[in-house]
Amino acid sequence: MTVRPIAVVGASAAGLAAAETLRRSGWRGPLTLIGEEPHLPYDRPPLSKQLLHGAWEPEKLRLRTEEQLAPLDLDLRLGTRATGLDVATRTLTLDGTERLACAGIVIATGVGARTLPGADGLTGVHTLRTLDDALALRDRLVGGTRQLVIVGNGVLGCEAAAVARELGHEVTVVGIEETPMAAAVGTDVGTLLAEEHRARGVRLLTGAVDGFDTTPADPADGPGPQVTAVRLAGGGTPGSRLPADTVLVAIGSRPAVDWLTDPALDTTDGLRCDAYCAAAPGIYAAGDVARWDHPAHGRPLRFEHRMNATEQGMAAARNLLAELAADGSTGTEDGTPAQERRPFAPVPYFWSDQYDLKIQAYGLTAGADRVETPVRDRAGRRILALYGREGRAVGVLAAGLPPRQIRALRAVVADPLPWEEARERIAAATAAG
């Protein structure tokens, strides 16, 4: 009997974790890893930091070398795009023509960068999502001082601003939020970040971008018209044009689900999954693209965090194999005992490095209806924030605290605690020093 392959769509951190877990958990059948980019799986967080700075080269971002991938016996399809999926038959369409019938599928296609109207084709205007994006922007920042305008004051925009200032460029950050990263971390933490950026010479503005001024294309610079300024909404008001020879558009992302048109799938804000990361029978999702029922929070969530990508890739792979084993599918006849499916209930973790300030957070910091900062020492560049939702503590963030204290904070939000109980545990953790 011919065994159909398991296909992992997305040669990302989540996709790689899923492929490795499938082999480690007993799948001996064909295993296909499909990646739209031509590169071996690589780590994305350093794109806006070490790689953009020039401290690292692309090889250092690789999660595995070709030699390390060899034992997985992959049918590795790099530079290949998934363009369709028939849910009922678990059949993928690749590059618009090839059909691949699968025993099971893990979707780990991640997200794509959002852009602005009129930005496409302009020389000097960049996004920062892929390795090629980061290398193109890095090349732009080499060989002379640039007037860089960053549109978007979220995590990505702030990290890129820090790198560009360290490289000596003139940097202006424009965001719709009054303080950097406010939507993700709240006003108090955002204010601390704003002070840090201003102290380093970054100009911070609040507003919306209305378009770009350009000059005709110069073959020496690039094929398209060269950006010369960023126009802010407000017409002829003073300062409505920001001179710029380089622009980074960092206004967020969109889940890569456009190719998933089967009506059996819900692609509202990512691929909707149950608590086991299943979007449909035999079809699972992991990483930035997955929006699943988090058991501890009682609602669907989607995380664009590096640690979640790996953990969810592993969980999705294990649960897929458990489903296939329960259905009597072949591919694991090596004596490996069938495992039961388990809900995926991680404690989210993210970090951001800006200058020499390291921010670390556990749980949910976005969407809080209550935020307190029991530690707020701006002179010492120390802060601790507790985030609540519907009477429970759901997230905690720290910067400038001893590592032992930061690690102790995870337990406070591993399961959402009543707000007052969480405050007491925070106080005990910080007092312990």
Side-chain angles (χ1 to χ4, degrees):
M1 178 180 175
T2 301
V3 178
R4 289 184 172 189
I6 290 180
V8 179
V9 186
S12 56
L16 176 64
E20 291 184 329
T21 301
L22 287 165
R23 286 300 192 216
R24 191 164 52 244
S25 300
W27 177 256
R28 297 294 176 261
L31 180 57
T32 302
L33 179 61
I34 301 159
E36 184 174 1
E37 296 182 59
H39 311 291
L40 291 172
Y42 61 86
D43 214 8
R44 292 188 189 274
L47 294 179
S48 60
K49 298 182 276 289
Q50 294 94 335
L51 186 90
L52 187 61
H53 196 287
W56 289 9
E57 292 302 319
E59 292 74 19
K60 193 164 183 178
L61 274 64
R62 285 182 186 165
L63 294 171
R64 301 291 184 271
T65 65
E66 290 185 8
E67 292 75 16
Q68 291 168 331
L69 289 175
L72 297 179
D73 190 24
L74 294 173
D75 174 16
L76 184 60
R77 309 281 195 96
L78 298 178
T80 300
R81 219 171 139 253
T83 54
L85 169 61
D86 183 275
V87 171
T89 63
R90 301 177 196 171
T91 300
L92 288 164
T93 303
L94 305 179
D95 286 333
T97 57
E98 182 184 355
R99 301 291 189 271
L100 183 65
C102 303
I105 298 169
V106 178
I107 295 171
T109 47
V111 296
R114 294 186 182 274
T115 188
L116 290 169
D120 292 344
L122 296 184
T123 297
V125 177
H126 298 260
T127 56
L128 183 49
R129 174 61 191 169
T130 68
L131 175 58
D132 291 340
D133 291 341
L135 290 174
L137 180 57
R138 187 173 79 170
D139 288 345
R140 187 81 184 173
L141 299 179
V142 171
T145 302
R146 293 288 186 180
Q147 289 181 306
L148 172 65
V149 172
I150 298 176
V151 184
N153 59 0
V155 177
L156 180 62
C158 288
E159 290 181 347
V163 169
R165 277 304 298 147
E166 289 175 341
L167 294 174
H169 300 290
E170 299 176 20
V171 180
T172 299
V173 178
V174 183
I176 58 174
E177 298 286 346
E178 292 188 1
T179 55
M181 291 174 52
V185 300
T187 301
D188 283 340
V189 178
T191 300
L192 173 69
L193 290 171
E195 292 175 351
E196 192 71 17
H197 281 283
R198 289 192 180 103
R200 307 284 183 141
V202 176
R203 183 185 182 194
L204 301 177
L205 300 177
T206 303
V209 170
D210 194 38
F212 305 94
D213 289 349
T214 63
T215 58
D218 182 345
D221 289 327
Q226 167 65 51
V227 67
T228 59
V230 174
R231 296 195 307 271
L232 301 184
T237 57
S240 62
R241 277 174 167 76
L242 303 174
D245 56 32
T246 307
V247 176
L248 171 62
V249 179
I251 56 173
S253 60
R254 46 176 179 72
V257 294
D258 291 349
W259 63 285
L260 297 170
T261 58
D262 192 308
L265 300 175
D266 179 355
T267 56
T268 305
D269 186 29
L271 181 55
R272 184 75 163 85
C273 302
D274 63 15
Y276 304 95
C277 308
I283 299 172
Y284 288 70
D288 298 359
V289 74
R291 183 169 65 94
W292 89 104
D293 292 329
H294 194 296
H297 294 281
R299 58 192 177 99
L301 298 172
R302 187 172 67 82
F303 298 143
E304 295 183 24
H305 303 329
R306 174 63 178 83
M307 293 300 295
N308 183 73
T310 296
E311 292 175 357
Q312 195 166 25
M314 296 168 64
R318 286 192 293 261
N319 285 338
L320 171 59
L321 279 187
E323 179 185 327
L324 295 180
D327 289 345
S329 299
T330 58
T332 57
E333 297 96 338
D334 64 343
T336 302
Q339 302 292 320
E340 291 187 359
R341 295 198 311 163
R342 295 180 181 178
F344 180 57
V347 179
Y349 169 76
F350 84 88
W351 77 95
S352 179
D353 295 320
Q354 298 174 37
Y355 309 107
D356 56 349
L357 187 68
K358 189 175 190 70
I359 302 161
Q360 299 182 76
Y362 293 102
L364 309 181
T365 58
D369 57 30
R370 186 174 185 178
V371 182
E372 288 187 9
T373 50
V375 176
R376 182 168 42 184
D377 176 9
R378 289 175 181 162
R381 303 165 76 237
R382 300 167 61 248
I383 195 163
L384 171 62
L386 182 64
Y387 301 80
R389 184 183 173 96
E390 299 175 351
R392 292 186 170 271
V394 294
V396 62
L397 176 148
L401 298 183
R404 188 162 67 91
Q405 284 187 344
I406 293 175
R407 287 193 296 271
L409 299 176
R410 182 184 185 278
V412 177
V413 295
D415 290 309
L417 295 174
W419 181 258
E420 292 302 325
E421 182 179 348
R423 291 182 69 202
E424 293 174 2
R425 293 180 64 171
I426 286 282
T430 54

